[in-house]
Amino acid sequence: MNKTGFQVDRNTCMGCGLCTRVCPGGILSLDGEGKVQMAEFEEFGWKGCWKCEHCLAVCPAGALSIFEHRPEDSLSPVKATDAAPVLDALIANRHSGRRYHDRNVDPGVIRDMIGRLANAPNGGNKQQVEFTLIDDKERMKRLRSMAFREMETLAGQGIYPEGFDRASYEDMKRWRQTVRPDMLFCGAPHLLIPHAPLGKGEPVQDVLVAGTYFELLCASRGLGAVMLTFPLAALKRMPRIMAMLEIPEDHYTGMFIGFGYPEISYKRGVQKTVDPGRIHRPAF
């Protein structure tokens, strides 16, 4: 049954058929009058509506509405001449933030950024990535304190974060004196953990893409962010504390993302390049 609320302004529809050519579910067609129509379907997904809203986005006349979303409420495309230099600058000026101010980010800003992750690419548009969020600096301090104490206790027993030995663990501790005062969470006042259920869709790719998009969203709003795998490796040795995060055991978690207002402001972007030897062109 059609539960999309799909609507067509038949006076505005041009019958161009663009929507029928971008519909991944193949459920749109033109009727006898050359106006778009949607076929009935049993369930969302492979054989029905993918909830992608491509039909709304592609219509040149703005004749289609779906899920109560109207074309006039959509963001307009940005010209390449305007978008390219901005995105180039965001990527070049994106840094892993390892020092943060001890203040909360406005909750509305955080909600807005997470909401926009619905637009990040994900397999089959299944929208199955979930987000564990710590958006209060005092709660983050409690997590940091508990985890650090437990990590040190385990280290005293010769048990180190997954993938680390004594030497590499001691390296991390030495860096606390300079670049990384908080070896677990880099002092970030907030934490976002994207995770998705294993066994269906593309959980690994979906989680990593969502994390990457979130980091760019932070950069675009003047926030610092850092993708962290060390605390994930550490908390795998701490089932009690890991359970407090309430992440289902059958979910893939690729990284933690610490974020907040950066303590150190960078004055320019970096100038990294991809070595030509890393580019491979297969011969057919």
Side-chain angles (χ1 to χ4, degrees), residues 138-156:
E138 297 305 322
R139 187 170 297 168
M140 189 67 205
K141 288 177 181 177
R142 291 195 289 273
L143 172 63
R144 182 182 295 111
S145 178
M146 287 188 298
F148 186 80
R149 286 199 306 269
E150 181 69 10
M151 182 175 64
E152 283 284 82
T153 298
L154 291 171

Side-chain angles (χ1 to χ4, degrees), residues 12-39:
T12 306
C13 176
M14 302 161 53
C16 65
L18 285 175
C19 55
T20 69
R21 300 204 291 274
V22 300
C23 176
I27 58 174
L28 297 183
S29 63
L30 299 182
D31 62 18
E33 298 179 358
K35 306 297 182 181
V36 65
Q37 60 184 356
M38 177 180 283

Side-chain angles (χ1 to χ4, degrees), residues 67-279:
F67 302 117
E68 298 184 2
H69 296 162
R70 302 176 300 176
E72 58 267 30
D73 296 329
S74 293
L75 293 175
S76 300
V78 181
K79 293 181 180 179
T81 52
D82 296 329
V86 172
L87 186 56
D88 291 349
L90 281 174
I91 293 174
N93 284 275
R94 179 222 59 80
H95 308 285
S96 292
R98 297 183 176 90
R99 291 175 181 266
Y100 294 86
H101 288 295
D102 184 25
R103 61 186 272 219
N104 284 327
V105 175
D106 184 287
V109 172
I110 298 176
R111 284 195 303 270
D112 180 70
M113 290 194 298
I114 294 177
R116 294 185 188 280
L117 292 179
N119 295 314
N122 59 100
N125 198 44
K126 295 184 183 299
Q127 298 287 349
Q128 60 183 5
V129 179
E130 299 177 20
F131 303 95
T132 293
L133 172 68
I134 299 179
D135 55 2
D136 177 73
K137 65 185 183 69
E138 297 305 322
R139 187 170 297 168
M140 189 67 205
K141 288 177 181 177
R142 291 195 289 273
L143 172 63
R144 182 182 295 111
S145 178
M146 287 188 298
F148 186 80
R149 286 199 306 269
E150 181 69 10
M151 182 175 64
E152 283 284 82
T153 298
L154 291 171
Q157 302 169 6
I159 302 172
Y160 300 101
E162 188 175 89
F164 285 74
D165 56 17
R166 179 178 178 180
S168 55
Y169 182 78
E170 291 300 324
D171 283 340
M172 292 287 289
K173 291 192 71 172
R174 278 194 296 274
W175 293 337
R176 294 180 66 202
Q177 305 304 315
T178 54
V179 70
R180 192 171 181 154
D182 170 15
M183 62 190 288
L184 270 171
F185 302 106
C186 294
H190 304 310
L191 195 66
L192 183 73
I193 310 172
H195 49 90
L198 292 163
K200 59 180 179 179
E202 304 294 341
V204 175
Q205 294 89 331
D206 291 354
V207 163
L208 298 180
V209 169
T212 302
Y213 269 56
F214 184 75
E215 191 187 40
L216 283 174
L217 284 167
C218 285
S220 71
R221 285 153 173 78
L223 299 174
V226 57
M227 289 188 173
L228 302 163
T229 55
F230 180 72
L232 180 59
L235 264 64
K236 283 182 178 180
R237 305 295 198 203
M238 312 174 196
R240 180 183 65 86
I241 296 178
M242 190 69 180
M244 294 173 65
L245 295 175
E246 300 181 358
I247 299 174
E249 293 185 3
D250 65 341
H251 278 211
Y252 171 78
T253 303
M255 87 291 278
F256 292 1
I257 305 172
F259 68 100
Y261 293 107
E263 181 183 292
I264 298 175
S265 297
Y266 288 77
K267 305 307 179 186
R268 61 199 57 83
V270 298
Q271 300 178 39
K272 300 176 185 178
T273 60
V274 176
D275 188 281
R278 292 165 57 193
I279 302 172

